[in-house]
């Protein structure tokens, strides 16, 4: 997965979870730890990585920009705050 940035636009079928996470962050109610649980292969890791990219993105838009230095580091798996 290094080299490819997971963004909310690439995540399918997790709209409610994405909205919950973004709303929690915007309302300063994000827990110190999150557990992504569910059946294997449904996209939990992709959603988690998209959320991590969004949190680190310098653009502060509705999705990770993919263009800023933080997004490039997340995509390269070299961001110090985002580990797989």
């Amino acid at each position: 997965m290094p080299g490819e940035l997971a963004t909310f636009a690439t995540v399918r079928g997790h709209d409610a979870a994405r909205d919950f996470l973004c709303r929690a962050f915007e309302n300063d109610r994000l827990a110190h730890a999150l557990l992504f649980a569910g059946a294997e292969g449904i996209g939990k890791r992709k959603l988690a990585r998209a959320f991590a990219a969004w949190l680190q993105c310098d653009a502060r838009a509705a999705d990770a920009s993919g263009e800023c230095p933080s997004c490039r580091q997340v995509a390269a798996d070299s961001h110090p705050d985002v580990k797989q």
Side-chain angles (χ1 to χ4, degrees), residues 14-29:
H14 294 290
D15 296 338
R18 181 200 63 223
D19 293 345
F20 172 81
L21 292 167
C22 292
R23 210 171 29 257
F25 175 76
E26 290 165 355
N27 292 325
D28 200 26
R29 305 274 302 161

Side-chain angles (χ1 to χ4, degrees), residues 6-52:
T7 63
F8 290 140
T10 64
V11 176
R12 306 257 188 256
H14 294 290
D15 296 338
R18 181 200 63 223
D19 293 345
F20 172 81
L21 292 167
C22 292
R23 210 171 29 257
F25 175 76
E26 290 165 355
N27 292 325
D28 200 26
R29 305 274 302 161
L30 190 60
H32 74 281
L34 299 167
L35 178 63
F36 290 76
E40 188 174 329
I42 63 169
K44 297 178 301 287
R45 181 178 305 211
K46 193 168 192 174
L47 176 62
R49 290 191 55 81
F51 184 58

Side-chain angles (χ1 to χ4, degrees), residues 5-8 21-22 25 30-32 34 47-84:
L5 182 68
T7 63
F8 290 140
L21 292 167
C22 292
F25 175 76
L30 190 60
H32 74 281
L34 299 167
L47 176 62
R49 290 191 55 81
F51 184 58
W54 179 73
L55 288 174
Q56 299 302 322
C57 184
D58 298 331
R60 284 287 160 226
D63 204 351
S65 70
E67 302 297 323
C68 69
S70 291
C71 284
R72 288 193 297 272
Q73 279 187 305
V74 170
D77 240 358
S78 63
H79 195 287
D81 295 329
V82 180
K83 294 297 174 194
Q84 188 155 262

